[in-house]
Amino acid sequence: MKLWDKGFSTDKKIDMFTVGNDRQLDLIIAKYDVLGSIAHAKMLHKIEILQDREIVIIEAKLNSILQNIEKGNFVIEDTFEDVHSKVEFMLTEMLGDTGKKIHTARSRNDQVLVDLHLYFKDEISEIKNLVKSLFDELMSKAEEHKAVLIPGYTHLQVAMPSSFGLWFSAYAESLIDDVYMLNAAFKIADQNPLGSGAGYGSSFDIDRQMTTELLGFETLKYNVVAAQMSRGKTEKALASALSTVAGTLSKFAMDICLYMSQNFNFVSFPDELTTGSSIMPHKKNPDVFELIRGKCNALQALPYELTLISNNLPSGYQRDLQLLKEAVLPAIQTLKSCLEMMTFSIENVRVNTKILEDPKYDYLFTVEEVNKLVQDGVAFRDAYKMVGAKVEKGEFKPDKNVNHTHLGSIGNLCLEEINEKMITALK
């Protein structure tokens, strides 16, 4: 059941090694393979490869296969290499010689490219929706707790006053940068490679603009060699975007792990969101956030992994590129699950409103004291030394009333402006 079958068979060990996990992974992109085949069939009808009667029955059978896929009834048995061979077999089995015409003017190379480009576009859109959900939750928490001060840190040393409003909205605005990266990956994927064939086009007078419009691509990848070279490049662009989102989640998860510890005690979560110890009855562990941190740290290695697979390959298709699916497709699902779990958890976060009552945080306000002296006419370096001397002698008494008014500060979070930035980024 091979599209390249010429009447001889390969050794079973070779089959197992070369097919790898393709059958399982191809179930994820099966829907897009059928959609690509429907568009291709309509184009073949336009250029008179398929007759009127043939396009009607081919389209009907492809839609029937699509319904089976959507119901979860589609299977790629071990007798098939991949989704492409299974779909073509089903058409041929149903329609005889008419089904055999579907592969005219295309190759498995441009088939898998179309499948992946369509799949990536849908997944990027879904990830952006998940990012927006987390963004909205963070912005809501920033508004709700904007007046609650917390310590800010540099070098993990108590530094200057921050707030929950500043902390939550910091991660919200960071997600906007991640959306920019997702947009870039979407732009790269939103180019139709169908019609590039094995990488060198076709002698058939195919209508590539037609399939571009039918499949909802913004444009097409005009040069057929460039279309084939997009395999690997598109995945690396997507991996970079996934990695950027993962970096934000990993850092946020690390903050939460710190802030949940008894040494900090800034935030807590309901018991049902934590786990316990097998021997220590008092433990409430942040396993969810530790796993998000670990999974997202692993995701940040993905661009390098893909680079090592595809680096220095010559133009044209090479079988190494099959391995990209094994890395990228599971990574997409991992990131989505981390986004969903982070949003769910933050909905239930509890903040400590009395953190700064602990005297160990008194030194947060030394800069405030220096600034007041400067406003009273003392030179900054002299004011710095005066306050430093009080600290050394144990005489510093903090004034915990802060008055930060500039854009993006504790007293002026610019939540409306940040929200507008996200709305614009998502357009």
Side-chain angles (χ1 to χ4, degrees):
M1 305 298 181
K2 297 180 177 66
L3 296 181
W4 50 270
D5 185 11
K6 305 178 192 67
F8 64 88
S9 55
T10 52
D11 189 282
K12 287 184 178 180
K13 287 184 179 180
I14 298 296
D15 277 348
M16 290 176 62
F17 186 76
T18 55
V19 172
N21 295 326
D22 255 19
R23 296 185 189 96
Q24 293 85 354
L25 295 172
D26 278 5
L27 289 174
I28 298 172
I29 61 172
K31 163 188 171 182
Y32 303 98
D33 196 71
V34 175
L35 292 174
S37 291
I38 290 171
H40 185 67
K42 288 180 177 179
M43 186 277 297
L44 291 178
H45 174 246
K46 181 186 176 184
I47 65 170
E48 300 181 348
I49 298 296
L50 292 177
Q51 300 172 7
D52 292 347
R53 177 187 59 82
E54 290 176 320
I55 184 57
V56 170
I57 57 175
I58 282 183
E59 192 173 352
K61 293 303 181 184
L62 285 170
N63 278 315
S64 174
I65 295 170
L66 185 60
Q67 289 176 7
N68 281 331
I69 292 170
E70 291 173 342
K71 291 176 182 176
N73 298 329
F74 183 79
V75 178
I76 304 174
E77 296 85 354
D78 290 348
T79 48
F80 298 96
E81 277 191 299
D82 49 37
V83 64
H84 322 298
S85 52
K86 176 61 185 289
V87 171
E88 184 170 331
F89 173 82
M90 291 176 73
L91 281 179
T92 302
E93 189 178 46
M94 296 172 185
L95 307 176
D97 288 344
T98 298
K100 297 177 183 178
K101 294 184 177 182
I102 192 65
H103 203 61
T104 305
R106 71 175 180 181
S107 163
R108 276 199 304 181
N109 293 349
D110 59 348
Q111 270 188 270
V112 71
L113 277 170
V114 168
D115 297 355
L116 290 172
H117 279 230
L118 291 172
Y119 170 72
F120 292 155
K121 285 176 60 180
D122 276 359
E123 291 295 327
I124 291 169
S125 295
E126 189 170 344
I127 289 169
K128 285 168 64 175
N129 288 335
L130 292 171
V131 168
K132 180 58 163 57
S133 294
L134 177 57
F135 173 88
D136 289 342
E137 192 58 45
L138 290 169
M139 293 291 281
S140 174
K141 290 294 186 285
E143 177 64 36
E144 182 181 355
H145 303 295
K146 64 184 178 183
V148 182
L149 295 183
I150 61 174
Y153 293 85
T154 61
H155 308 276
L156 272 182
Q157 305 292 306
V158 169
M160 291 177 64
S162 181
S163 71
F164 277 115
L166 205 60
W167 182 59
F168 283 122
S169 61
Y171 281 102
E173 190 166 6
S174 291
L175 288 172
I176 299 173
D177 296 336
D178 302 339
V179 170
Y180 294 151
M181 292 290 287
L182 289 165
N183 288 344
F186 187 95
K187 190 83 171 176
I188 292 170
D190 200 15
Q191 304 175 87
N192 180 24
L194 187 58
S196 57
Y200 303 97
S202 171
S203 57
F204 290 99
D205 188 21
I206 57 177
D207 189 338
R208 298 189 65 206
Q209 187 60 43
M210 178 184 179
T211 56
T212 298
E213 293 169 3
L214 287 173
L215 291 169
F217 285 105
E218 181 185 18
T219 186
L220 58 83
K221 201 75 172 179
Y222 291 97
N223 185 293
V224 290
V225 176
Q228 283 301 313
M229 288 196 299
S230 72
R231 184 85 184 270
K233 192 169 188 177
T234 306
E235 285 88 342
K236 283 195 285 185
L238 175 56
S240 294
L242 300 179
S243 168
T244 302
V245 180
T248 301
L249 295 184
S250 176
K251 185 181 287 290
F252 190 33
M254 181 62 206
D255 275 4
I256 294 172
C257 289
L258 281 176
Y259 290 178
M260 281 183 68
S261 73
Q262 291 91 336
N263 304 73
F264 285 77
N265 193 30
F266 293 176
V267 299
S268 62
F269 292 86
D271 291 350
E272 58 268 25
L273 269 68
T274 63
T275 60
S277 163
S278 62
I279 63 170
M280 294 172 282
H282 68 283
K283 293 293 291 295
K284 294 181 181 179
N285 297 324
D287 285 23
V288 166
F289 302 102
E290 291 171 349
L291 287 171
I292 290 174
R293 182 178 61 194
K295 289 173 183 284
C296 287
N297 284 343
L299 285 173
Q300 290 177 81
L302 185 62
Y304 186 51
E305 180 182 352
L306 300 191
T307 296
L308 290 179
I309 293 172
S310 59
N311 197 39
N312 294 332
L313 293 181
S315 60
Y317 177 77
Q318 325 295 325
R319 192 65 180 262
D320 315 50
L321 297 171
Q322 174 184 320
L323 302 177
L324 300 175
K325 282 194 292 187
E326 297 184 13
V328 174
L329 271 60
I332 290 171
Q333 303 310 317
T334 296
L335 182 63
K336 285 163 60 178
S337 69
C338 288
L339 282 164
E340 289 171 344
M341 191 53 61
M342 183 66 84
T343 303
F344 173 74
S345 299
I346 295 305
E347 288 174 1
N348 297 279
V349 69
R350 299 164 178 169
V351 308
N352 181 354
T353 60
K354 299 178 179 180
I355 297 168
L356 298 193
E357 291 180 6
D358 190 320
K360 71 171 170 280
Y361 299 124
D362 285 355
Y363 292 154
L364 282 170
F365 301 93
T366 59
V367 177
E368 306 298 315
E369 184 66 24
V370 170
N371 291 347
K372 287 177 184 176
L373 290 170
V374 170
Q375 289 172 339
D376 290 339
V378 180
F380 175 82
R381 190 52 58 199
D382 292 336
Y384 177 93
K385 290 179 179 178
M386 290 167 61
V387 174
K390 286 185 179 181
V391 170
E392 289 299 316
K393 294 175 183 178
E395 298 174 354
F396 177 74
K397 302 296 181 186
D399 178 358
K400 296 185 179 182
N401 294 310
V402 297
N403 184 32
H404 295 191
T405 58
H406 70 75
L407 294 174
S409 64
I410 297 173
N412 189 3
L413 294 176
C414 298
L415 298 183
E416 290 185 12
E417 290 84 350
I418 293 171
N419 193 56
E420 284 299 319
K421 275 180 70 177
M422 178 58 95
I423 291 171
T424 300
L426 290 169
K427 287 181 179 178

